[in-house]
Amino acid sequence: MSDSPTLPPTEVRMAEIVFPNNTNHMGTLFGGQALAWMDKAAFLAAARYSRRTVVTARSEQVDFKLPIRQGQMVETIGRVVEVGRSSIRVEVELIAEDLLTGERRLCTRGHFVMIALDAGGKPTQVAPLAAG
């Protein structure tokens, strides 16, 4: 057993399947649904890292590079990439996977800024991100 402190987790992964109710008239994932999954991953990554209640302060540039089609699995990966006093910046990627062929493609990437809150709902300090 080590005496060194355990570093907080900086990543979360979620998986979803794109059903017809998640798609537009072109049979591709609604942009709003993609953003909702990304915001959820950002929330989970920031809350898990800080062990605090967090809220979304800002979604930064989100690039929709490739469409995600009905029937594909979507892996949403949220990674804490920067920490301020109470802010936590999370990079989120959506990776589409064809379940029959195994082909995986990065389709969407964006950044979200989350704010850690204390019990009274005020911004509160979080631990700095370990260099690594």
Side-chain angles (χ1 to χ4, degrees):
M1 192 153 234
S2 171
D3 289 332
S4 65
T6 302
L7 296 176
T10 59
E11 183 177 284
V12 296
R13 291 174 179 257
M14 306 179 332
E16 298 281 351
I17 187 78
V18 179
F19 287 112
N21 64 316
N22 302 127
T23 63
N24 60 28
H25 64 289
M26 300 291 292
T28 61
L29 184 66
F30 277 123
Q33 182 63 69
L35 289 171
W37 288 344
M38 293 174 81
D39 189 39
K40 183 177 180 181
F43 163 80
L44 288 171
R48 188 178 192 203
Y49 172 82
S50 66
R51 299 298 177 196
R52 301 273 188 198
T53 298
V54 298
V55 293
T56 305
R58 179 172 63 238
S59 61
E60 297 179 342
Q61 184 170 345
V62 175
D63 295 315
F64 294 90
K65 299 174 185 299
L66 298 169
I68 299 172
R69 306 211 176 279
Q70 179 181 319
Q72 290 184 314
M73 183 181 86
V74 177
E75 185 175 18
T76 307
I77 305 167
R79 289 183 196 90
V80 173
V81 294
E82 186 178 338
V83 175
R85 191 189 81 72
S86 62
S87 64
I88 303 163
R89 189 166 182 255
V90 181
E91 178 183 72
V92 182
E93 296 177 334
L94 292 182
I95 307 217
E97 180 174 333
D98 184 301
L99 291 173
L100 299 179
T101 67
E103 179 186 7
R104 292 171 52 87
R105 297 170 22 165
L106 173 63
C107 294
T108 307
R109 176 183 284 140
H111 290 88
F112 292 74
V113 176
M114 313 303 284
I115 301 295
L117 304 177
D118 64 16
K122 302 287 185 201
T124 189
Q125 191 165 351
V126 295
L129 190 59

